[in-house]
Amino acid sequence: MTTNKGEVIIKVEDLHKVFGELHAVNGISEEIRKGEVVVIVGPSGSGKSTFLRSLNLLEVPDKGRILFEGIDITDKKVDINRHRQRMGMVFQHFNLFPHKTVMENITLAPIKLKGIKEVDGKKRAMELLEMVGLPDKANTYPSKLSGGQKQRIAIVRALAMDPDVMLFDEPTSALDPEMVGEVLEIMKTLAREGMTMVVVTHEMGFAKEVANRVIFMDEGVIREQASPKEFFENPKDTRLQEFLSKVL
Amino acid sequence: MFSNISDKLYKTLIYKDRYKYILDGFGVTLQVTFFAVLIGILIGFLVAAIRSTHDKTGKMKIANVICNLYLTVVRGTPVVVQLMIIYYVVFASAPVGKVFVAVMAFGLNSGAYVAEIFRSGIMSISQGQFEAGRSLGFTYAQTMRYIIIPQAFKNVLPALGNEFIVLLKETSVAGYIALQDLTKSGDIIRSQTYDAFTSLITVAIIYLILILIFTKLVSILERRLRSSDH
């Protein structure tokens, strides 16, 4: 149950990313399979966000390759914009477009990039808004929403492009505690529906409950990975044991 | 007292149809300001686009150097000197009108200030907005167009409005190339009536009214654009 869910959707080969003196990602090779929910945990500064942001090239790797659905997206000749359309991303700080309504936030990319008709885009947006329980917010501006609502809309905005994989970069870290649950619920629903997800988070409960695989990163490398049960009940790496003793 | 004022007004504006100087000058000032604003926005937009693309992506190195040179020269020298250089040096032997020269000079000058206003606006939008756009699959240019620039424009509107007010007032030095703008017209009337008070105050009031109207227009536009903030 831990791996072999489906074909490989993202294949990372010997990834390196350096910021000045800091070797944020120091040689990672990894595979993400279709339908998998992979949760990445680790202390802050461990390179987990940089690794995640490399997957859609928001961080351009200094070395290594990333194959997305078989195509090397680190190749300069590849049109990265086309591939990003199929990789949804959710950010810690939501990054909704404040000058657009919720509906416009959701439909902007499908209409402009996929050439979807406005009526169809709106219809799809309403379905997704129903799913996250916010259909009444369609014509609201983001400034009127709570943090939890903003993040749910941000998830919808990414889903509206019908991505093959969803990347979550600490999606609940900027939320007030009482709003974390509503966002995690949506993510659980997505996981249940078979969405391929890579999630950087501090929510160990989510990792235990939803992940197929949990990865522990420290100092730019993967120190350990296992099924959630194995990961939390029987960690082998000493750094991971130390980390878990602090966060659990 | 009252008859004294109306006497002066009569002498300054009515006698020998002197109001025509004012009307002509007013037209020239408006014309120069309007076209200079257009050129200023065009240049400012281009320079800001090049400079912020360079800042964000490291591309367009040579274009960025040229832009920096332009900004340094324009902002480092007085507008009157620029105006005279363009009139007496650049277009010295070219058969172009004074209005054209003034439009070019003030437009080039304003472009430098507008460029920095636009650039500061683009830089004021968080990197997260940019990343959100790119992560959806928008190109750099599309992200700028649909996401960054609309927000940046809203943020810089007060500064932009202010720049145009400054520009309108700066055109008053057009007399240096013997272009008969509003200020020059007032000065011509003064030299004919020897009544400096009435002629110059008249000119000042016209500038003031123009600027009040313009300020009002900007604030209306600003309020409309702010509708998404609350």
Side-chain angles (χ1 to χ4, degrees), chain A residues 53 56 58 81 84-85 87 89 91 95-100 108-109 112-113 141 143-144 157-158 161, chain B residues 126 128-129 131-140 142 145-148 150-151 154 227-230:
Chain A
R53 288 158 53 82
N56 66 351
L58 279 187
N81 302 307
R84 279 192 184 131
Q85 293 180 20
M87 307 171 106
M89 186 157 203
F91 300 86
N95 298 341
L96 291 180
F97 308 133
H99 62 303
K100 297 198 174 290
L108 181 70
K112 299 288 182 198
L113 295 174
Y141 283 97
S143 56
K144 296 246 188 165
R157 179 176 68 181
M161 289 296 281
Chain B
S126 81
Q129 288 290 308
E131 289 180 353
R134 296 308 302 272
S135 78
L136 287 166
F138 285 111
T139 62
Y140 176 87
Q142 286 171 326
R145 177 173 159 204
Y146 296 125
I147 295 154
I148 307 297
Q151 295 183 60
K154 203 164 76 175
S227 62
S228 62
D229 287 357
H230 34 72

Side-chain angles (χ1 to χ4, degrees), chain B residues 55-72:
Chain B
D55 289 356
K56 278 193 189 289
T57 66
K59 290 175 187 161
M60 311 187 88
K61 281 204 178 67
I62 296 168
N64 186 57
V65 169
I66 294 169
C67 288
N68 276 334
L69 189 69
Y70 160 72
L71 293 177
T72 308

Side-chain angles (χ1 to χ4, degrees), chain B residues 55-106:
Chain B
D55 289 356
K56 278 193 189 289
T57 66
K59 290 175 187 161
M60 311 187 88
K61 281 204 178 67
I62 296 168
N64 186 57
V65 169
I66 294 169
C67 288
N68 276 334
L69 189 69
Y70 160 72
L71 293 177
T72 308
V73 170
V74 168
R75 295 195 298 170
T77 54
V79 65
V80 186
V81 177
Q82 293 164 16
L83 176 69
M84 294 203 294
I85 288 175
I86 289 177
Y87 183 63
Y88 292 112
V89 181
V90 178
F91 288 120
S93 53
V96 293
K98 285 174 184 166
V99 169
F100 176 81
V101 171
V103 165
M104 292 313 278
F106 292 115

Side-chain angles (χ1 to χ4, degrees), chain B residues 124-199:
Chain B
S124 74
I125 306 301
S126 81
Q127 184 66 14
Q129 288 290 308
F130 200 79
E131 289 180 353
R134 296 308 302 272
S135 78
L136 287 166
F138 285 111
T139 62
Y140 176 87
Q142 286 171 326
T143 305
M144 278 290 168
R145 177 173 159 204
Y146 296 125
I147 295 154
I148 307 297
I149 289 172
Q151 295 183 60
F153 182 71
K154 203 164 76 175
N155 288 354
V156 302
L157 200 62
L160 212 53
N162 193 48
E163 163 58 23
F164 297 146
I165 287 170
V166 169
L167 178 63
L168 172 63
K169 290 187 289 182
E170 265 182 355
T171 60
S172 62
V173 300
Y176 269 89
I177 59 167
L179 175 63
Q180 195 198 316
D181 71 328
L182 183 56
T183 305
K184 187 73 182 170
S185 302
D187 199 42
I188 289 170
I189 295 172
R190 180 194 59 77
S191 69
Q192 292 179 357
T193 61
Y194 301 109
D195 176 7
F197 180 86
T198 315
S199 55

Side-chain angles (χ1 to χ4, degrees), chain A residues 89-109:
Chain A
M89 186 157 203
V90 176
F91 300 86
Q92 182 178 355
H93 295 288
F94 333 124
N95 298 341
L96 291 180
F97 308 133
H99 62 303
K100 297 198 174 290
T101 63
V102 165
M103 181 55 82
E104 290 165 345
N105 264 276
I106 300 167
T107 56
L108 181 70

